[in-house]
């Protein structure tokens, strides 16, 4: 009996879950963070995208080429990463329940269960080099095979997304004694949430 109830529950959750995508507001994709602590740098100051080709076509972003890190950290530094979705309501950016954080990004950079792996790091082909240096060593090249990116929020349950949203993505570095490095990295991706028809 419990098993049957469980199956029904899972089945219904599957029906009610909705996928959304974010239709980008800014052709440059990344926007500086509006509420970053002093000393925070923009993603384009931490990673050089000059050799990266980024083309937006309807709801898909085509990416290929190389990016080079310009964030200068020490090999034993720890990088914490945070993703948070905000909704623009009544003139303010209000937090939502959709957040994700990791205290130690580098060992999980190629973890296949992570969003960033599916969306980004799985397409970085010089994995050995990148796994060794992460985004800590100045001048590390991230070589991308061409890939298409659609910014999707999958399996959203118990909430309806509509209107303007932004994802705030931040990286903070700590030295071996857990003292924060002066420059964290922060950027936003803004867009309009749209339901994906199944
Ligand atoms: C990316 O870097 C690799 C290795 O340095 C090089 O062979 C390749 O030509 C570069 N690609 C682009 C688009 O700059």
């Amino acid at each position: 009996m419990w098993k049957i109830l469980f199956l029904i529950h899972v089945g219904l959750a599957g029906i009610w879950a909705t996928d959304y995508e974010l239709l980008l507001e800014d052709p440059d994709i990344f926007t500086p963070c509006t509420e970053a602590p002093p000393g925070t740098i923009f993603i384009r100051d931490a990673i050089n995208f000059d050799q990266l080709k980024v083309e937006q076509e309807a709801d898909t972003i085509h990416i290929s080429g190389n990016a080079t890190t310009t964030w200068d950290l020490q090999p034993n530094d720890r990088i914490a990463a945070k993703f948070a979705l905000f909704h623009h309501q009544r003139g303010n950016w209000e937090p939502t329940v959709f957040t994700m954080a990791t205290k130690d990004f580098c060992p999980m950079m190629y973890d296949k269960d992570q969003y960033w792996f599916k969306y980004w790091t799985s397409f970085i082909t010089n994995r050995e080099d990148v796994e060794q240096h992460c985004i800590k060593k100045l001048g590390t090249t991230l070589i991308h095979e061409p890939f298409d990116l659609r910014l999707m929020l999958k399996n959203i349950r118990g909430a309806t997304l509509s209107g303007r949203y932004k994802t705030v993505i931040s990286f903070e570095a700590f030295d071996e004694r857990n003292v924060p490095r002066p420059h964290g990295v922060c950027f936003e991706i803004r867009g309009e949430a749209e339901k994906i028809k199944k």
Side-chain angles (χ1 to χ4, degrees), residues 50-53 64-67 126 141-144:
D50 291 352
Q51 304 294 316
L52 197 72
K53 208 166 119 193
S64 62
N66 298 341
N126 56 329
T141 301
L142 314 171
I143 303 173
H144 298 83

Side-chain angles (χ1 to χ4, degrees), residues 145-172:
E145 61 183 351
F147 68 103
D148 288 342
L149 182 67
R150 280 178 76 186
L151 296 166
M152 303 215 278
L153 294 159
K154 289 202 154 184
N155 281 319
I156 304 298
R157 296 191 179 100
T160 306
L161 271 48
S162 75
R164 268 179 96 201
Y165 286 83
K166 70 173 184 181
T167 312
V168 177
I169 299 157
S170 55
F171 296 99
E172 214 182 341

Side-chain angles (χ1 to χ4, degrees), residues 172-175 177-183:
E172 214 182 341
F174 299 87
D175 71 14
R177 287 166 297 135
N178 247 354
V179 177
R181 293 282 180 198
H183 306 294

Side-chain angles (χ1 to χ4, degrees), residues 10 28 41 45 72 76 79 81 88 111 134 157 172 181 186:
V10 170
D28 287 337
I41 59 173
D45 300 317
D72 193 7
N76 290 329
I79 296 176
H88 198 253
D111 182 325
C134 189
R157 296 191 179 100
E172 214 182 341
R181 293 282 180 198
C186 187

